[in-house]
Amino acid sequence: MTTDTGTITAEDVTAFEDVVATVERTQRDKDAEGFLALFHPDALWTTAHGKVLVGFDAIADFTRAVLPNASWDGDVSYEVVHAQLLAPDVAAVKVRQVYHSPDGDTEGAPLYVMTRQGDGRWLLHACQNTEVHAG
């Protein structure tokens, strides 16, 4: 993983990795409520297929309808590949997402803008998932 120089603490990096690991686990387990616990109430999410979800309620409605019924053969992995602070309590976290299946791997390139809350937790605030096309 790369980071911007000198502004991100080891604790921040660990927190970003923990959020991303929870995204991975909740996606794999089809755990809608665990996934939703990662979001700021005013979050904005754009799916890999371009569906724009504004606010927690829209994200929750979509997630609860889609995630439990998602079907894929294989496994998914998420890895933080870059992080930088945009402001003291705002971070941009670039992620490599790979779906491993018998038909071959497919990749996504999410960008998560996270905000640090008063209790120190980092939450997903503005996220864009982009499908990576080979070639």
Side-chain angles (χ1 to χ4, degrees):
M1 176 181 58
T2 62
T3 60
D4 60 344
T5 54
T7 58
I8 294 180
T9 67
E11 292 82 13
D12 290 334
V13 170
T14 298
F16 303 151
E17 291 172 341
D18 288 348
V19 169
V20 171
T22 302
V23 169
E24 177 182 311
R25 181 191 54 76
T26 57
Q27 293 291 307
R28 183 180 295 129
D29 295 347
K30 301 179 184 180
D31 175 6
E33 299 311 312
F35 179 68
L36 292 169
L38 300 171
F39 283 88
H40 187 278
D42 296 325
L44 167 69
W45 182 271
T46 303
T47 71
H49 301 294
K51 184 163 184 69
V52 178
L53 305 167
V54 178
F56 182 83
D57 290 342
I59 295 167
D61 289 347
F62 177 83
T63 300
R64 289 176 180 137
V66 173
L67 186 58
N69 301 313
S71 63
W72 62 78
D73 294 326
D75 200 10
V76 63
S77 63
Y78 289 71
E79 175 190 8
V80 175
V81 293
H82 181 80
Q84 79 184 58
L85 287 180
L86 305 176
D89 293 326
V90 180
V93 179
K94 193 65 182 160
V95 175
R96 180 171 185 252
Q97 170 194 58
V98 180
Y99 285 95
H100 309 278
S101 78
D103 298 328
D105 293 350
T106 57
E107 190 169 335
L111 174 64
Y112 300 155
V113 176
M114 297 185 196
T115 52
R116 184 181 2 234
Q117 307 309 294
D119 62 3
R121 291 180 307 136
W122 287 92
L123 294 179
L124 301 171
H125 206 125
C127 304
Q128 169 78 44
N129 195 358
T130 303
E131 191 173 1
V132 175
H133 296 279

